[in-house]
Amino acid sequence: MSRARLILIISLVVFFFGSVFGDSFKSSVFAYNYDILMTIGVNIILAVSLNLVNGYTGQFSLGHAGFMAVGAYASATWSNNLDPILVNALGGPANLIAVNLAFFISMLVGGVLAAVTGLLVGIPSFRLKGDYLAIVTLGFGEIIRTAILNTDFLGASRGLSVAGAYTNIFWTFGLTAICVYVVLSLVHSTYGRGFLTVRDDEVAAEAMGINTTKYKVIAFVVASFFAGIAGALYAHFKQFVTPEGFNFFRSVDIVVMVILGGMGSTVGVVLAAVSLTILPEILRALSHADLLPPAYNGLLENRLILYSLLLIVLMLTRPQGLLGELNTRRQRLNRRHGGL
Amino acid sequence: MRSLLTGLWVTALLCCWSVAARSQIKIGAVSCLTGSLSTFGVSSIQGAKLAVEEINSGGGVLGQQIELIVEDNQSKTGESATIARKLIGQDQVIAILGDLTSSSTMEIAPLAQEAKVPLLTPSATNVAITKAGDYIFRSCFIDPFTGQMMAKFALDHLKAKRAVILTDVKQDYSVGLTEAIRQYFTANRGQVVREISFSSGDTDFRAQLATMRSVRPNVIFLPAYYTEAALILRQAKQLGITAPFVGSEGWDSPTLIQVAGKSADGSFYTNHFSVADPAPTVRKFVHSYEAKYHVAPDALAALWYDGATIVCEAIQRADSTDGAKVRDALASTKNFEGVTGRISIDENRNASKPGVVLTVENGQVKMVQQVLP
Amino acid sequence: MEQLTLFLQQLLNGLSLGSIYALIALGYTMIYGVLRFINFAHGDVYMLGAFAGYFLAPIVGHFISFAEYDAFTPQNILPILTSIGLVMIGSMLICAVIGVVIEKLVYRPLRGRPRLNVLITAIGVSLFLQNMMQYLFGASPRAFPQLIPVQPIEGLGDLTVLTTQAAIILSTIVLMLILRFIVTKTKLGLAMRALSLNPTACSVVGVNNDVVISFTFALGSALAAAAGILVSLDSPSITPMMGNLPGIKAFVAAVLGGIGNIPGAVLGGIIIGVLETMVVGYLRPELRDAIAFAMLIVILLFKPNGILGKVEREKV
């Protein structure tokens, strides 16, 4: 068994036991920390999946939150309506296996639907390059959000309450591990060669006979699937979703993580996701510590001002982010294996 | 780089792992201090803070001072849940005051219910909130009551039978009110000739208003926020629409008259309280608020002032900081003389309280009538 | 007959809306023409223009007292026109400077870097401008002062054309003509057109590319500022986020008309404005924003070079 697969299985087992012992913290004094932990997991999945598209394949997508929304709403609707039947059929709500199986199915529904949406969005979009692709993906993200906003049975502007609080440490971090494993495996396979080639020089790739659209779409669909899974996890944790929570700014949040981490570096992106999830909480604690006069507290807590400055400064000084590589010809020639 | 990250981790752990000692009586408050709803949020917290200050200077509650822990949800969804968990788990508050909007309150109500921490929202009007459980309370009236006020006023006072309802489809508040208005209006022999929608964030409503002009209503309901209401009033006047507008408490802001100018004259809106109310409690509140914040209080400040006071009084009446006892005390609040009227918590844990209908005359807001529950 | 009047009314509203989009789209298209990049922050320059006007108006009012007149009279025509002219020119100048400063500070160091980096930076600038303004001035809308009397123009029967709408359409035409003059008859304009064809050749023949690029940014930003003032005359409620949607829609307009093509930007703006008004008036108002995105997707799928654009062959 390959080393990666071994690590994956060990992680899953660790998370399983972590869940058994750790989940009681959800309703305890440490509920807040538990919340942050779950959010970290969700953000890692979102950032790592987006990195596949933006980082490894070089296609700039600004609509990732849209796919998260599809996953969240799809799995929430499925859980709300079908779970009572399903769970009872499988053994009743007290039966942990039944509940978790139902959740697994619900998440799959969310992920698959998000992947299908990704396919529908990706195929027409990938004829476009760079700036245009960014705006079109932004547009699709907004269209998805507007569609949900105008659909009454999805709650429209009221929002949708989610019945089952199924998310726990095992699912969140287990899926995080699986996501990282899948992305890394893809990147190190022949598909990965395809992604990187598309990123480096699309015209040369086409000239060599590589179907660039196929690779772009594959990356996009995989990324959308995991975004959907992240959405499902999020929905079943916060237990309430509104269309506003999946707007352009949410997409920007994820993009900032990818850029900070270094496009094309999964480890970097994971670190960035963790840091940028914890950062607002640190700022929140700092604002309570009264370090600044109250008038300036808003600045500390204003995530978007910080993020936008971060983006500008990063691009000017260290465009490769924390752990990414500078996309220069020399480094590409010197590279012996693809980046982590 | 590594040491920076390690430093970040350590600070994070230290910040998050501090379990606060329980010396004072802690009440959590969550609202939108920054972001798109910040104007409302800032007023609300200012009102709450004023109430807590006054109570503390009068000796506090149960002989102890009250600490109001204020958190900002940045007008973002998802934040309130994290904040609620922090307030409940880490800060161990006795009660939670919040949230500002219905959707954020829907987020945190189940959490408070599960943790058996009483939650009181002074401004979220969606009916579904108090259905989350018996620890969830509300000290303002709910959308159906507002809708009824608006519809009744149009029918009785304005003698209008043909109505158009303009709905902001992006705001749950507006959609909920539209339902209530339509129900009451049609049940009392009024006719809603059209329902026209728009979205918050729009600035051009001429297309919809031109359509509305062609159906000739004799009253127009506009349950929306002042940002759009002001522009709609202006553009309607410019298009020559003369039918009166009836709005709701979302109109309550000086910006409405600043932007709408003369087009606001002759319109009406319902509210929780009137800053010009001669009642002595109101005058005293307005005076203290202006002294502290140098600006007149709006309805949200008044609502949160009352909400904070109700919670503190309930703790005093419960004579304990035990969640269940405070909950029971809250549920039995009767005839509380607040700035926003005489409030009683009913069996659905909603507030039974009067509202007011205001009108704009020559750029000034005047009270037309008080509506009893 | 009433249906016809309604249709004409909507058409006029669409024209007025479209003029605003056209002005902003011109900025996008010019900047794309010389730099081959989409200035994501352009919509926020429009917002800054409106705010500049908001702060300038009382200052101008100090010197030329203007009251909020209800109607044009022979006495007040001159002071009204002067004051609004001053406010507009002042705002255009301020935003031109802001545009040039942004270009120098943020975009110039990135010239030659991958296009993606510049796009990300532009997004950063846009978010920074919006949120900083929101932090400094609050999210609550501000009432823009009424600089010209707002009244329906007489003599058009049932059609309501307001003075502000007429002002928007007229100003747009005037500004377009001025722009056309600059682009076709001045040296800088010639340099702009040359730069959009081949930057390397330009520097070889002695054109100072940097100056031309700064000039282009200045022009584009000034036009966006003008749009900001004009729209605030009509809808006197300004917020720090007001540049978001018009910015995106103007970008769609520029693409629709053929990005890099100046008449195309105007054509695109008008089309999007009219389309939007028609959809809101006759179909469903909720689709107002979605229609621009839908247009974008359609145009990029079927005619990516826009209506008036040329097909660009990518050379390797």
Side-chain angles (χ1 to χ4, degrees), chain B residues 31-362:
Chain B
S31 186
C32 315
L33 289 171
T34 53
S36 48
L37 295 168
S38 52
T39 16
F40 296 124
V42 167
S43 298
S44 63
I45 293 296
Q46 283 178 340
K49 276 192 175 157
L50 183 64
V52 170
E53 250 178 44
E54 287 181 358
I55 293 176
N56 275 343
S57 59
V61 163
L62 300 180
Q64 294 176 40
Q65 296 284 288
I66 299 184
E67 187 190 343
L68 189 69
I69 304 182
V70 178
E71 294 287 358
D72 173 20
N73 67 20
Q74 300 192 3
S75 315
K76 281 185 180 209
T77 33
E79 287 289 307
S80 298
T82 314
I83 290 173
R85 289 201 170 94
K86 172 182 178 288
L87 288 172
I88 295 172
Q90 187 171 306
D91 298 314
Q92 309 222 318
V93 295
I94 301 196
I96 300 180
L97 201 61
D99 200 316
L100 188 72
T101 58
S102 295
S103 38
S104 323
T105 317
M106 288 290 290
E107 239 182 78
I108 58 180
L111 297 171
Q113 176 68 28
E114 202 193 317
K116 303 241 185 303
V117 173
L119 177 119
L120 180 105
T121 172
S123 54
T125 50
N126 189 316
V127 186
I129 290 170
T130 36
K131 298 203 178 128
D134 59 350
Y135 273 78
I136 314 299
F137 295 87
R138 186 200 322 256
S139 64
C140 58
F141 44 66
I142 46 181
D143 286 339
F145 181 68
T146 311
Q148 190 180 312
M149 260 203 292
M150 290 167 71
K152 198 163 192 294
F153 183 77
L155 285 169
D156 299 343
H157 193 102
L158 298 174
K159 310 272 188 262
K161 292 267 187 211
R162 278 173 66 89
V164 162
I165 311 183
L166 285 169
T167 315
D168 181 349
V169 287
K170 261 196 183 164
Q171 299 290 346
D172 172 41
Y173 160 73
S174 185
V175 172
L177 275 178
T178 303
E179 288 265 334
I181 297 171
R182 187 200 314 124
Q183 264 184 19
Y184 191 86
F185 201 73
T186 43
N188 287 280
R189 280 166 307 162
Q191 188 197 10
V192 177
V193 278
R194 270 295 201 148
E195 285 185 32
I196 302 181
S197 53
F198 64 94
S199 301
S200 43
D202 286 352
T203 50
D204 191 325
F205 307 95
R206 296 211 181 87
Q208 294 101 316
L209 290 172
T211 317
M212 185 174 84
R213 185 174 67 171
S214 60
V215 288
R216 281 183 268 268
N218 42 36
V219 69
I220 306 163
F221 291 108
L222 181 48
Y225 287 113
Y226 65 89
T227 6
E228 286 76 37
L231 289 172
I232 292 178
L233 284 171
R234 251 187 96 95
Q235 290 169 8
K237 181 116 188 283
Q238 287 164 0
L239 278 175
I241 295 173
T242 50
F245 278 81
V246 175
S248 56
E249 65 263 15
W251 284 32
D252 183 46
S253 161
T255 316
L256 181 89
I257 300 182
Q258 277 169 20
V259 172
K262 298 208 200 68
S263 1
D265 287 342
S267 39
F268 303 89
Y269 65 99
T270 60
N271 204 354
H272 299 273
F273 111 122
S274 167
V275 78
D277 193 332
T281 15
V282 180
R283 301 262 48 86
K284 178 165 166 293
F285 164 68
V286 173
H287 186 79
S288 331
Y289 191 92
E290 274 176 355
K292 188 170 154 82
Y293 298 112
H294 311 293
V295 69
D298 60 10
L300 274 166
L303 283 170
W304 281 63
Y305 178 84
D306 275 347
T309 319
I310 290 178
V311 169
C312 293
E313 268 211 5
I315 299 177
Q316 182 76 34
R317 261 184 299 128
D319 202 25
S320 123
T321 53
D322 174 51
K325 297 213 175 92
V326 174
R327 187 221 85 84
D328 290 335
L330 270 174
S332 56
T333 308
K334 291 270 175 287
N335 297 325
F336 170 82
E337 292 288 349
V339 165
T340 53
R342 179 175 296 176
I343 304 176
S344 294
I345 305 283
D346 67 18
E347 66 274 2
N348 292 316
R349 297 173 307 284
N350 295 319
S352 174
K353 66 183 284 292
V356 293
V357 178
L358 305 168
T359 183
V360 182
E361 232 172 76
N362 292 325

Side-chain angles (χ1 to χ4, degrees), chain C:
Chain C
M1 197 54 215
E2 202 172 295
Q3 280 306 311
L4 183 62
T5 321
L6 186 61
F7 179 75
L8 284 175
Q9 181 73 62
Q10 306 285 35
L11 199 63
L12 238 112
N13 292 338
L15 214 62
S16 151
L17 186 64
S19 308
I20 302 286
Y21 292 153
L23 285 175
I24 309 175
L26 281 169
Y28 274 116
T29 227
M30 288 196 295
I31 293 176
Y32 187 86
V34 295
L35 274 184
R36 289 282 182 279
F37 112 95
I38 297 168
N39 184 7
F40 223 92
H42 195 59
D44 301 291
V45 176
Y46 154 89
M47 176 269 292
L48 288 172
F51 270 86
Y54 173 80
F55 287 113
L56 273 179
I59 301 179
V60 167
H62 228 27
F63 299 107
I64 308 178
S65 61
F66 66 88
E68 300 217 338
Y69 294 112
D70 273 341
F72 279 108
T73 67
Q75 293 101 328
N76 63 28
I77 276 206
L78 199 56
I80 290 181
L81 287 179
T82 331
S83 60
I84 188 185
L86 280 176
V87 170
M88 216 150 96
I89 295 180
S91 165
M92 284 166 78
L93 278 174
I94 294 178
C95 285
V97 168
I98 292 179
V100 169
V101 164
I102 293 179
E103 195 270 322
K104 255 206 163 78
L105 272 182
V106 181
Y107 299 144
R108 192 170 299 186
L110 293 174
R111 237 180 268 171
R113 299 265 193 93
R115 285 244 300 280
L116 213 53
N117 294 20
V118 196
L119 181 66
I120 294 170
T121 318
I123 295 177
V125 172
S126 165
L127 287 174
F128 180 73
L129 286 174
Q130 281 176 23
N131 285 287
M132 208 51 195
M133 290 297 284
Q134 189 176 78
Y135 175 70
L136 289 172
F137 299 112
S140 189
R142 301 233 171 178
F144 195 84
Q146 186 182 317
L147 291 172
I148 69 174
V150 184
Q151 47 165 172
I153 295 183
E154 307 292 318
L156 288 168
D158 268 337
L159 271 185
T160 314
V161 179
L162 296 165
T163 45
T164 46
Q165 288 177 303
I168 293 176
I169 299 178
L170 283 174
S171 309
T172 309
I173 296 180
V174 167
L175 286 168
M176 263 166 45
L177 290 172
I178 298 180
L179 184 70
R180 188 170 173 73
F181 176 77
I182 295 181
V183 168
T184 48
K185 298 270 194 302
T186 66
K187 265 183 137 176
L188 269 174
L190 188 62
M192 266 172 64
R193 280 183 289 146
L195 200 59
S196 69
L197 283 175
N198 194 330
T200 332
C202 272
S203 46
V204 165
V205 295
V207 172
N208 187 339
N209 285 11
D210 288 344
V211 168
V212 178
I213 291 177
S214 293
F215 180 70
T216 316
F217 262 85
L219 262 187
S221 308
L223 287 172
I229 303 268
L230 288 171
V231 92
S232 307
L233 287 178
D234 201 29
S235 296
S237 171
I238 61 176
T239 75
M241 298 290 173
M242 68 190 273
N244 261 333
L245 276 174
I248 298 244
K249 290 180 189 170
F251 169 71
V252 177
V255 171
L256 181 62
I259 192 121
N261 185 310
I262 289 180
V266 177
L267 183 63
I270 308 270
I271 293 180
I272 296 274
V274 172
L275 196 64
E276 193 180 302
T277 315
M278 290 300 170
V279 165
V280 170
Y282 289 110
L283 288 176
R284 303 185 56 195
E286 299 86 74
L287 297 176
R288 176 194 282 272
D289 298 334
I291 201 70
F293 288 120
M295 249 344 275
L296 178 71
I297 293 166
V298 165
I299 206 57
L300 286 177
L301 284 182
F302 297 110
K303 203 167 183 342
N305 292 298
I307 298 179
L308 297 179
K310 298 181 293 268
V311 180
E312 254 183 40
R313 299 249 172 262
E314 189 179 335
K315 296 198 190 133
V316 268

Side-chain angles (χ1 to χ4, degrees), chain A residues 26-33 35-36 39-40 145 149-150 157-158 161 234 237-240 242 244-246 249 253 271 274-275 278-279 281-282 284-285 288 298 301-304 318 322, chain B residues 1 5 8-9 11-12 15-17 19 34 69-74 76-79 81-83 85-86 88-90 92 102-104 106-107 110-111 114 126 168-173 175:
Chain A
K26 187 175 178 187
S27 324
S28 75
V29 172
F30 293 110
Y32 176 52
N33 313 104
D35 186 291
I36 300 178
T39 315
I40 289 179
R145 200 178 58 83
L149 190 65
N150 285 312
S157 55
R158 294 187 302 280
S161 282
Y234 177 85
F237 180 61
K238 298 279 182 181
Q239 290 189 268
F240 190 74
T242 61
E244 274 311 298
F246 301 108
F249 297 126
D253 273 354
L271 283 175
V274 173
S275 313
I278 297 188
L279 188 66
E281 304 305 322
I282 297 182
R284 198 199 299 280
H288 276 297
E301 293 213 333
N302 197 322
R303 218 179 292 194
L304 279 170
R318 200 188 158 89
L322 285 175
Chain B
M1 188 54 67
L5 287 172
L8 223 62
W9 271 99
T11 326
C15 288
C16 301
W17 243 257
V19 182
T34 53
I69 304 182
V70 178
E71 294 287 358
D72 173 20
N73 67 20
Q74 300 192 3
K76 281 185 180 209
T77 33
E79 287 289 307
T82 314
I83 290 173
R85 289 201 170 94
K86 172 182 178 288
I88 295 172
Q90 187 171 306
Q92 309 222 318
S102 295
S103 38
S104 323
M106 288 290 290
E107 239 182 78
L111 297 171
E114 202 193 317
N126 189 316
D168 181 349
V169 287
K170 261 196 183 164
Q171 299 290 346
D172 172 41
Y173 160 73
V175 172

